[in-house]
Amino acid sequence: MNVFVTGGAGYIGSACVEELLNAGHMVTVFDNLTEGHRAAIDPRATFIQGCLSDRDLVIKSVGQAKTEAVIHFAASALVGESMTNPAKYFRNNVANGLNLLEAAKENGVRKFVFSSTCATYGLPERVPMDESTPQKPVNPYGESKLIFEKMLLWFEQSHGLEFVAFRYFNAAGATPRFGEDHRIETHLIPNVLKVALGQKEQCDIFGTDYPTPDGTCIRDYIHILDLAQAHILALQPGKRGFFNLGNGEGYSVREVIDTCARVSGKAIKTVEKPRRAGDPPRLVAAAAKAKTELGWNPQYPKLEQIVASAWAWHVKHPSGYGD
Ligand code: UFG
């Protein structure tokens, strides 16, 4: 299939592009390289450097690639930043995303696969959360993704554009080639591993008074290769709708730090800090729907395996992609 991947130079996108190519698909990567890296683009893919704000370029590029399916990773994706700069999130994730949706419609694309998030649920009343959990986002990031989910429903109804929207829990881990290198790193696992590598002195723990067994936030970590597998399954004709992608097991911040220490064999110095704005205490997926309807079968469900893959990548790429 001819697949047009936005954000294919980014963390999750680069791993998915690699897997799409391995599965025999033809891939065009569309990325403006503000978050992504040139070196993270699989050389087997065609690359177009461009911005989704450029509506004419997006429409032309989707057409030139003879696109049959779009996979839309490109987004602003930091909960904390969205609280201080909501406009950036509505512009990039809603307005610019709409240009891509229109381009898909104009070019007769058959399938649209979207990276949504468990942040659309807000503060769930109970976990694990399935796809029917009420969606009440508590930050502009989650809100922007929820608006796009609704746009997908209307484009499907009005134009017959079949869609799959994946609500990711916490993406983590690395492939041997592609890993996590954000220009400003806010995520837990890479920050803990930077301490293990000696690049940071200490790791902050944001909030130790949450209503959880050890007082720190609980998250469900999912390997980027398992996310990639789900996107490939979503390309099958007739598959549509909303799916959670997580492992159904929650780990606290302290448990993640302990796992990183064990895997790396290094002591991790920690400092307890106040809560970070916009963080729900506990997010854990019920992801049975993706398994039964798509045939999704995660290969790396254990936190230890996920952290080990990330550690191997960071050891091999201590300066990330070096740009
Ligand atoms: N945390 C720390 N110290 C750090 C970094 C993070 O204690 O140095 C804590 C956070 O406060 C949070 C947990 O670790 O409680 C996980 O934080 P991350 O920043 O790694 O991930 P988030 O859960 O905030 O957000 C990520 C993605 C979002 C996605 C969300 C879904 O960035 O795009 O997962 O849960 F929506």
Side-chain angles (χ1 to χ4, degrees):
M1 220 172 183
N2 293 328
V3 188
F4 189 87
V5 181
T6 71
Y11 171 44
I12 307 172
S14 59
C16 188
V17 167
E18 183 183 21
E19 291 301 297
L20 283 163
L21 291 160
N22 289 346
H25 294 287
M26 312 284 281
V27 176
T28 298
V29 168
F30 187 93
D31 200 301
N32 63 5
L33 299 183
T34 56
E35 300 290 338
H37 308 270
R38 186 71 186 80
I41 303 169
D42 193 308
R44 294 171 291 172
T46 302
F47 176 48
I48 300 171
Q49 184 166 354
C51 188
L52 290 173
S53 60
D54 187 343
R55 186 170 175 276
D56 292 343
L57 176 67
V58 178
I59 293 176
K60 194 173 102 200
S61 302
V62 169
Q64 264 173 4
K66 298 192 171 31
T67 304
E68 293 162 283
V70 167
I71 303 185
H72 179 31
F73 290 104
S76 298
L78 298 176
V79 170
E81 183 190 53
S82 79
M83 300 290 283
T84 54
N85 190 0
K88 177 175 174 183
Y89 283 72
F90 294 111
R91 183 168 298 111
N92 287 344
N93 298 355
V94 180
N96 294 350
L98 179 60
N99 291 336
L100 181 65
L101 260 182
E102 284 191 284
K105 186 205 96 185
E106 298 283 316
N107 287 289
V109 169
R110 296 210 295 262
K111 182 60 140 289
F112 197 103
V113 183
F114 173 58
S115 302
S116 189
T117 167
C118 65
T120 58
Y121 295 120
L123 303 169
E125 274 165 27
R126 66 184 94 81
V127 294
M129 307 126 76
D130 68 13
E131 290 81 359
S132 67
T133 301
Q135 289 177 292
K136 297 179 197 156
V138 293
N139 47 61
Y141 167 61
E143 189 80 68
S144 70
K145 291 284 186 173
L146 180 57
I147 293 170
F148 202 86
E149 285 193 2
K150 292 183 175 169
M151 287 170 17
L152 287 172
L153 280 168
W154 290 112
F155 268 68
E156 184 182 60
Q157 185 168 315
S158 302
H159 305 300
L161 178 59
E162 189 173 84
F163 76 87
V164 167
F166 286 123
R167 296 180 187 145
Y168 304 161
F169 283 62
N170 285 55
T175 82
R177 292 169 69 196
F178 303 120
E180 191 161 13
D181 177 12
H182 296 112
R183 292 191 174 83
I184 297 170
E185 192 53 81
T186 63
H187 294 97
L188 179 62
I189 293 176
N191 272 331
V192 180
L193 295 180
K194 279 180 200 288
V195 179
L197 279 170
Q199 297 177 350
K200 270 185 71 169
E201 201 191 321
Q202 62 197 39
C203 170
D204 297 332
I205 299 180
F206 296 130
T208 53
D209 58 349
Y210 284 100
T212 59
D214 69 14
T216 66
C217 284
I218 290 178
R219 294 287 182 274
D220 182 341
Y221 294 87
I222 175 80
H223 199 293
I224 53 170
L225 277 174
D226 288 327
L227 293 181
Q229 187 210 7
H231 288 74
I232 292 169
L233 292 167
L235 298 178
Q236 302 168 87
K239 305 292 181 193
R240 67 160 301 285
F242 301 98
F243 298 90
N244 284 344
L245 294 180
N247 281 310
E249 227 178 305
Y251 295 93
S252 72
V253 172
R254 289 191 203 280
E255 286 173 324
V256 170
I257 294 170
D258 290 347
T259 306
C260 291
R262 212 165 39 246
V263 165
S264 65
K266 309 278 183 192
I268 309 289
K269 186 176 168 201
T270 59
V271 180
E272 296 186 2
K273 292 274 175 73
R275 291 182 179 196
R276 194 173 69 175
D279 276 347
R282 193 190 282 254
L283 296 171
V284 180
K289 188 180 176 210
K291 291 179 183 165
T292 52
E293 288 191 23
L294 300 179
W296 185 54
N297 179 22
Q299 300 297 299
Y300 310 96
K302 293 285 156 220
L303 183 63
E304 195 103 8
Q305 297 171 293
I306 295 172
V307 168
S309 70
W311 176 242
W313 192 83
H314 285 287
V315 167
K316 208 165 141 202
H317 304 87
S319 315
Y321 290 104
D323 54 357

